[in-house]
Amino acid sequence: QVQLVESGGGLVQAGGSLRLSCAVSGRRTFSDYSVGWFRQAPGKEREFVSGVHWSGGDTGYADSVKDRFTMVRDNAKSAVYLEMNNLNFEDTAVYYCVADRWATSSTRGAPAWNYWGQGTRVTVSS
């Protein structure tokens, strides 16, 4: 089993920045897992935000956040971060940290990610 705990959400004005954190724990070594972020806006489906394979390599991003969001993986701290810049109203959502042994940076479907955190809410005001 893997436990993921997100933090760092909150209220921010449009154009502002936030940094989300995700602490990962479990029986397996953190570096054995691919990790990523999803989000779910009110009334919408969960959507992929970013992801990186357990072996490293390029990080995949949704087109809607590319060049604004940066995902950082810290194997030494068993943690994942999501740096979000130039936020806009459409970024308002609950953000979920995810992990899976077999997902890749291009795994965009939510069911393919086996482990989920409880989510942290991000609200962007205009």
Side-chain angles (χ1 to χ4, degrees), residues 3 5 7 12 23 25-26 44-47 52 59 63 65 67-68 73 76 85 97-99 104 120-122:
Q3 292 78 44
V5 180
S7 60
V12 62
S25 61
K44 294 188 176 181
E45 300 284 323
R46 287 187 183 185
E47 64 171 351
V52 64
T59 300
D63 288 342
V65 307
D67 298 327
R68 297 188 300 122
R73 175 185 186 134
N85 297 311
C97 180
V98 295
T104 71
T120 185
R121 186 174 301 276
V122 172

Side-chain angles (χ1 to χ4, degrees), residues 37-117:
W37 291 90
F38 275 71
R39 67 185 182 184
Q40 186 168 22
K44 294 188 176 181
E45 300 284 323
R46 287 187 183 185
E47 64 171 351
F48 173 85
V49 175
S50 65
V52 64
H53 192 252
W54 62 265
S55 64
D58 293 340
T59 300
Y61 293 96
D63 288 342
S64 58
V65 307
K66 199 173 295 184
D67 298 327
R68 297 188 300 122
F69 290 13
T70 302
M71 177 178 157
V72 176
R73 175 185 186 134
D74 189 337
N75 283 349
K77 295 184 177 180
S78 296
V80 185
Y81 307 97
L82 187 66
E83 300 275 358
M84 306 186 296
N85 297 311
N86 194 21
L87 286 160
N88 57 58
F89 179 75
E90 286 71 33
D91 296 317
T92 295
V94 176
Y95 284 72
Y96 297 91
C97 180
V98 295
D100 190 84
R101 291 209 64 207
W102 312 113
T104 71
S105 61
S106 59
T107 302
R108 307 295 172 107
W113 293 84
N114 199 23
Y115 301 104
W116 292 70

